[in-house]
Amino acid sequence: MVISLIERFGTYEVRDGLEIELRDEKISLKNVGEDHFRYRRERNGEIVAERLFTNKDASVRLALWPSRPINTPQPLGHHIMLRLNPTISLPPKSQATHHLTMPIEIGVFTVSKEGNGNGGNNYMIDTFSLTRQRYALYGTPDTGYICRLHDTVPNRAAKPIPYEEAAVIMRFENPLDDWVTITRIVLEANMVDLYAKEDTVYLEDSDVMVEDGKVANVFLNNEPPLPGLLEVPMPENTKKIRLSLLERTGLGGACRFTMEYGY
Amino acid sequence: MEWLGATIPGSNFTVFQIVVAVAVIVGGILVAKALSLSFKRLSTPLMSGNDSKLLQRIIYYTVIVIAVMTSLSYLGVDFTGVLLAGGILGIVVGFATQSVVSNLVSGIFLQMDKPISIGDPISIIDGDLSGVILEINVFSTTIRTFDGVNLRIPNEKIFTSKIYNFAKNTARRANITVGIAYKEDIAQVTEIVKKTLEENPLVLVEPAPLVYADNLGDSCVNLSIRVWTPSSVWFPVRTQLVQQVKKALDDAGIEIPFPQRVVWQKKGAR
């Protein structure tokens, strides 16, 4: 199946002179002899990334897909922290659904034509972010996690900024006899599965379950949050990591991250 | 079965005694092999192949020597003299190999305690030696110093010294002090510095950076800047920040004074 998201996200035939523009970023392909191609990304006219690759027998496509926000400006950790502003207070024994946003990066992939999309061989050759990256520590300096930080406003409807954010439709459950206030959500990025419709990106179906006054579990349920969404392909190494994490959780298709340092 | 009790011609031993003695030795060899293999399996994740082989051999031959001595003792061989000589030899060897044994024991404790791992950037011996751990063996540890020299250090030295492990924690704090002229507005400078820190994506937002006037120095007001960064990028971030803060203050026209002294000349003095 050929994954074809519209606008900028999607797959492109590798050809001389291909140009894709995304705000200040300009991606171009140039044939530099026989079946060798030069990939180049410029920001405001300055070259920021360059790669050479071979497209033997026209067997490769170039793809632009949203990716997990853990690669820029350099890989530092594999967690994402969504800081809620305003915070969400949940009454005792209650459930609520809120629409949030999370950051995304844009991954540039070379894809083997034989197996396109998630069944194929996707190799990330470049990644970039259209937003300013910020990081925070969740937990203590010795055992905590370095997280990509994102401030989000809980809403009744998803309002992500295209190419910068993904929509998060999250169910919150408080089974306790007391009120609780959720100030942040932490996700394990390697567990994150993204879906898209046109150029709007969504996080997979997700829940936050409060366990006690300090600990909450974040569940990623490995299914689209809405009908009619396409699963965004992921790099090969992420697929492997995700698979091993899924096996380890023992929750079937769902992934869980336990927020042990407070919510 | 009467033949078992028969005495072997030309000796005082019965066939039974010889069979038992041989069985003890064969059993000893089997036990030695089993122990050596078990040790191999247990030690694989803990030590290098060479160290493991050496200790396997020591275990193997020790068990065999014990089996042979038990067997000979059963046949009536008197080991009193041998044990006495062995005891004296043991004391001599013990003194001679004191440091070797000390390194071996320290190596075992390093493996168990795990204050360092391969690839960790560390500083030991009160900061006199810094580098990245390349190998941890039973007797010694190899470090590649930050100027690219490989150094083999006896384990005892590492185990008994203070170890600063820069990779053990996820995040580390960087401290920078910057002096500003007395005429400058501290609140304004603090704002400029905070804004500069915000622009660096590798400065952690939580725990929040701290910028404050720390003390009134001889020539300037010293501002203290404390930021947390991921441990893996601590050094580049710290060096970047010094440059970025200097540039931001220069751009804002904030004076960073050099040490100065006002000399008053007494009226009429020559």
Side-chain angles (χ1 to χ4, degrees):
Chain A
M1 182 185 76
V2 175
I3 297 293
S4 184
L5 312 170
I6 69 153
E7 307 246 332
R8 307 295 195 282
F9 288 141
T11 54
Y12 299 81
E13 289 291 338
V14 170
R15 61 177 169 81
D16 187 39
L18 174 72
E19 286 190 355
I20 308 161
E21 285 190 24
L22 254 172
R23 301 206 191 136
D24 298 336
E25 311 279 340
K26 183 176 152 190
I27 288 167
S28 60
L29 285 185
K30 185 175 167 61
N31 189 324
V32 289
E34 296 183 8
D35 45 14
H36 298 300
F37 281 83
R38 185 198 66 205
Y39 163 87
R40 180 179 276 179
R41 178 165 57 87
E42 295 166 64
R43 183 180 299 140
N44 298 321
E46 190 186 330
I47 300 168
V48 285
E50 210 167 35
R51 298 277 185 285
L52 286 179
F53 65 92
T54 307
N55 181 20
K56 206 171 182 184
D57 305 325
S59 58
V60 175
R61 282 172 189 265
L62 192 78
L64 245 70
W65 289 321
S67 73
R68 288 134 203 87
I70 49 170
N71 297 303
T72 60
Q74 64 189 84
L76 293 169
H78 40 88
H79 289 82
I80 306 162
M81 186 194 288
L82 309 180
R83 211 164 50 173
L84 310 181
N85 186 17
T87 55
I88 298 171
S89 290
L90 295 171
K93 312 260 183 224
S94 69
Q95 282 186 347
T97 299
H98 290 277
H99 292 244
L100 316 170
T101 58
M102 65 170 271
I104 53 166
E105 288 173 3
I106 297 165
V108 183
F109 296 79
T110 46
V111 183
S112 308
K113 270 187 182 173
E114 286 75 31
N116 210 334
N118 256 336
N121 195 335
N122 313 319
Y123 183 67
M124 188 188 269
I125 58 168
D126 188 20
T127 179
F128 57 98
S129 171
L130 298 180
T131 49
R132 195 163 62 84
Q133 306 90 333
R134 295 183 309 154
Y135 285 85
L137 175 70
Y138 177 66
T140 57
D142 52 337
T143 54
Y145 306 94
I146 299 291
C147 306
R148 170 80 183 260
L149 178 68
H150 179 74
D151 287 321
T152 176
V153 180
N155 262 309
R156 300 307 304 166
K159 291 175 188 166
I161 303 170
Y163 312 114
E164 290 185 17
E165 295 175 338
V168 177
I169 304 169
M170 200 167 257
R171 284 182 301 277
F172 294 82
E173 187 175 344
N174 173 21
L176 307 179
D177 295 326
D178 296 313
W179 280 77
V180 294
T181 298
I182 313 282
T183 62
R184 63 195 61 207
I185 310 290
V186 178
L187 309 167
E188 152 69 91
N190 286 316
M191 292 179 177
V192 162
D193 214 356
L194 296 173
Y195 292 82
K197 186 177 186 184
E198 299 174 346
D199 268 4
T200 306
V201 185
Y202 294 83
L203 173 72
E204 64 190 289
D205 187 59
S206 55
D207 299 276
V208 172
M209 171 83 82
V210 173
E211 197 172 299
D212 58 35
K214 194 185 170 199
V215 179
N217 287 302
V218 182
F219 292 94
L220 299 175
N221 301 320
N222 204 20
E223 53 190 47
L226 297 170
L229 301 179
L230 285 171
E231 188 175 357
V232 173
M234 59 177 78
E236 293 305 310
N237 58 341
T238 312
K239 272 189 218 172
K240 284 177 195 156
I241 296 168
R242 186 176 153 77
L243 209 63
S244 72
L245 286 170
L246 276 171
E247 281 168 3
R248 227 183 296 159
T249 56
L251 296 168
C255 293
R256 176 179 61 193
F257 178 76
T258 301
M259 293 168 59
E260 57 193 310
Y261 297 107
Y263 48 80
Chain B
M1 297 296 275
E2 277 177 15
W3 58 275
L4 279 175
T7 308
I8 295 169
S11 73
N12 296 327
F13 309 125
T14 63
V15 174
F16 180 73
Q17 280 175 311
I18 295 293
V19 168
V20 170
V22 170
V24 167
I25 293 172
V26 172
I29 292 171
L30 293 176
V31 170
K33 277 200 170 157
L35 279 177
S36 161
L37 279 175
S38 304
F39 179 80
K40 186 183 175 184
R41 220 172 299 138
L42 289 172
S43 66
T44 304
L46 297 173
M47 56 183 73
S48 73
N50 285 342
D51 288 338
S52 173
K53 264 184 199 164
L54 178 71
L55 289 173
Q56 277 172 56
R57 273 188 211 139
I58 290 172
I59 291 169
Y60 182 75
Y61 288 113
T62 306
V63 173
I64 286 177
V65 166
I66 291 169
V68 169
M69 285 176 78
T70 310
S71 170
L72 291 177
S73 169
Y74 175 72
L75 291 176
V77 177
D78 185 8
F79 282 107
T80 317
V82 176
L83 285 177
L84 186 66
I88 293 165
L89 188 69
I91 292 167
V92 173
V93 170
F95 274 113
T97 59
Q98 194 182 10
S99 64
V100 175
V101 173
S102 168
N103 283 324
L104 175 76
V105 172
S106 298
I108 291 166
F109 282 129
L110 275 178
Q111 302 281 8
M112 287 162 61
D113 198 24
K114 291 200 180 303
I116 49 174
S117 310
I118 290 169
D120 284 356
I122 62 152
S123 176
I124 53 167
I125 316 173
D126 288 331
D128 282 350
L129 188 62
S130 304
V132 177
I133 302 286
L134 288 185
E135 252 185 336
I136 306 169
N137 293 319
V138 171
F139 297 107
S140 66
T141 295
T142 308
I143 290 178
R144 189 182 60 233
T145 60
F146 289 128
D147 52 355
V149 180
N150 283 14
L151 203 65
R152 178 186 168 278
I153 306 164
N155 280 338
E156 188 201 3
K157 198 134 201 165
I158 295 192
F159 192 67
T160 54
S161 89
K162 267 191 253 172
I163 303 173
Y164 296 88
N165 190 328
F166 303 120
K168 210 71 175 168
N169 287 357
T170 316
R172 247 186 103 185
R173 198 179 70 185
N175 303 332
I176 299 166
T177 302
V178 59
I180 55 165
Y182 270 91
K183 67 180 168 68
E184 305 295 354
D185 178 354
I186 294 174
Q188 183 205 351
V189 177
T190 304
E191 275 313 302
I192 293 168
V193 173
K194 278 187 175 171
K195 201 162 166 252
T196 309
L197 300 178
E198 273 171 25
E199 281 165 10
N200 190 323
L202 302 181
V203 170
L204 297 181
V205 177
E206 289 180 17
L210 268 181
V211 182
Y212 58 94
D214 193 26
N215 60 63
L216 304 176
D218 290 341
S219 316
C220 56
V221 177
N222 286 315
L223 288 191
S224 198
I225 303 169
R226 297 185 170 197
V227 297
W228 285 87
T229 72
S231 296
S232 57
V233 292
W234 181 88
F235 185 71
V237 170
R238 196 189 178 284
T239 49
Q240 272 171 25
L241 284 180
V242 171
Q243 201 176 338
Q244 287 165 351
V245 167
K246 162 84 167 62
K247 186 174 183 309
L249 295 183
D250 284 349
D251 290 349
I254 305 293
E255 186 190 349
I256 301 176
F258 49 84
Q260 46 193 278
R261 179 161 294 167
V262 177
V263 179
W264 293 90
Q265 192 176 15
K266 196 176 176 186
K267 218 173 190 180
R270 289 190 182 173

